[in-house]
Every structure is written in C-alpha cells, then in structure tokens.
Amino acid sequence: MNDIHGNNGSLGHARGIGDLLDVAVERAVPVVRALPDGRLEAATPCAEFDVKALVNHLFQVMEQFQRLAAKQDSDFTQSADRVAEGPDWRERFGEEARKLVAAWSAPGAEEGTTGAMNMPAATVGSMVLLDLTVHIWDLARATGQEYVPEGEALVVVERLAATVAELAPTARSMGVFGEAVPEPAGASAFERLLAATGRDPRWAAPVS
C-alpha cells in the first residue's frame, strides 16, 4: 500500500497519529462516559454490534493497537467482556484510550511496518484513529448523543478521508467496510466519511 502521508501540505497529514488520536480521544471519552446502562443492548449503526458489544470491541482494538504501535504481535481472535468486569468500565475505557495515545506518540511508532500483514505503521495508526472516530459516532447515534467533529477535530476527518480512500477496496472485500451509501444533499466532510464506510449519516435508533 502507498504511504498515506502526502506532500500536499494539508494539516491532517502533517500531524502525527498520536496527536490526532489525542484529539479523537478527547471527544470519544465523554460519549462513552454518557452511555446509559439501560441502552447497552441497543442497536447501533454498525449492524453487527449492539452498544455493549461495540464498547467491548473498542477495548479490544485499543489494547491490540497499543501492541501494534510497539511493533509487537497482536491477537484479535479473543475478545473479553470488559463491560461485565465491573461498573467502572467507563473509567477504564478512558484509561485505555490514554494508553493508546501514549503508545502512538512514542518515538518510532509510525516508522517502518507493523502487524501480520506488514503494513506501513502510519497506515495502521490511521486505522485505529478511524475506529476511535466512526465507532464513537455509532455509540453516540445509538444513545441519542451529539457527535459532530468541529474545530480541531476536522483535521482528524481530513486524515481519515485519505485513509478510507486508500483502504476501502480491500476493506470492502474483507467485509470491514460496507458498500458506500449515497451521501445526503449538502453532506459535511464527516458525513461523507461515514457514507464512505457504509454508514447512513442520518441513521436513527429504532423506536422501541
């Protein structure tokens, strides 16, 4: 795969993954803190996960991508139920997210290759940035929260647009992304990103 770091001078490509993850985490943690216990079984825009399963998936992602930042082997075959481990799972989510930021901020994290597929480390880092953005939108949407990237977070969206454009063909063939959906009229950059990953930007939780 080509290195997604271009020479177009855009801010999203000039900033490191650790820095961008820090921006994403600052917006992700409040959404997770606000997830109500009564909505853990609610559907999300990511059809294979309800709210609880998606939180557990994000725990797994954060743990394994810390290993990938350190050029260690990862294992996505085992998924623990972190939510069931105790009522402090929201706080533990924040702690794990901060560890993830630290891992990708370490010197050399974006250099070379990492993972079983020997992908460029910078691309792998962008993948976890994508999860900590679109899956947080999934959780917010499922629980009636607002999640609209603004200000500094738009730099994250810029970086992710390039990531999705690069990875989409392979990701769709592997079932990681759904087929792109039509963008709504006047779609924002973030809504275009969601549509490119197979999400309906206007998705609404089913009425119970």
Side-chain angles (χ1 to χ4, degrees):
M1 291 186 180
N2 295 326
D3 190 344
I4 65 175
H5 289 277
N7 293 316
N8 58 11
S10 63
L11 292 176
H13 289 78
R15 297 173 67 171
I17 292 295
D19 188 20
L20 295 175
L21 275 171
D22 189 45
V23 173
V25 164
E26 284 297 312
R27 287 154 178 79
V29 168
V31 171
V32 173
R33 282 187 185 140
L35 294 175
D37 288 336
R39 296 288 293 168
L40 291 177
E41 296 182 0
T44 75
C46 191
E48 65 180 293
F49 296 116
D50 61 16
V51 168
K52 179 183 177 183
L54 187 50
V55 171
N56 281 326
H57 172 69
L58 284 172
F59 266 107
Q60 179 193 41
V61 164
M62 291 190 295
E63 292 163 359
Q64 296 305 318
F65 273 82
Q66 288 174 53
R67 297 182 61 82
L68 290 169
K71 310 298 192 292
Q72 298 173 354
D73 292 337
S74 59
D75 181 5
F76 289 92
T77 63
Q78 303 295 323
S79 181
D81 189 348
R82 300 301 185 197
V83 174
E85 290 177 355
D88 64 340
W89 58 268
R90 295 172 183 83
E91 290 73 25
R92 285 186 281 113
F93 184 96
E95 293 168 0
E96 208 63 49
R98 285 186 285 274
K99 291 178 184 177
L100 179 72
V101 173
W104 282 96
S105 299
E110 291 188 58
E111 298 174 4
T113 60
T114 190
M117 297 176 66
N118 286 319
M119 294 176 66
T123 300
V124 173
S126 292
M127 290 165 63
V128 71
L129 180 66
L130 182 64
D131 268 17
L132 263 292
T133 302
V134 297
H135 279 325
I136 295 301
W137 178 84
D138 291 333
L139 291 173
R141 202 73 176 170
T143 55
Q145 300 184 59
E146 286 294 322
Y147 183 81
V148 180
E150 297 174 324
E152 195 177 23
L154 293 176
V155 181
V156 174
V157 174
E158 178 189 0
R159 175 64 172 259
L160 293 179
T163 299
V164 171
E166 178 191 3
L167 298 179
T170 301
R172 289 195 183 106
S173 69
M174 297 174 64
V176 177
F177 291 171
E179 289 298 321
V181 303
E183 300 169 2
S188 67
F190 184 55
E191 288 174 327
R192 291 195 297 273
L193 175 68
L194 293 171
T197 66
R199 288 166 169 77
D200 178 0
R202 306 292 164 86
W203 186 93
V207 177
S208 57

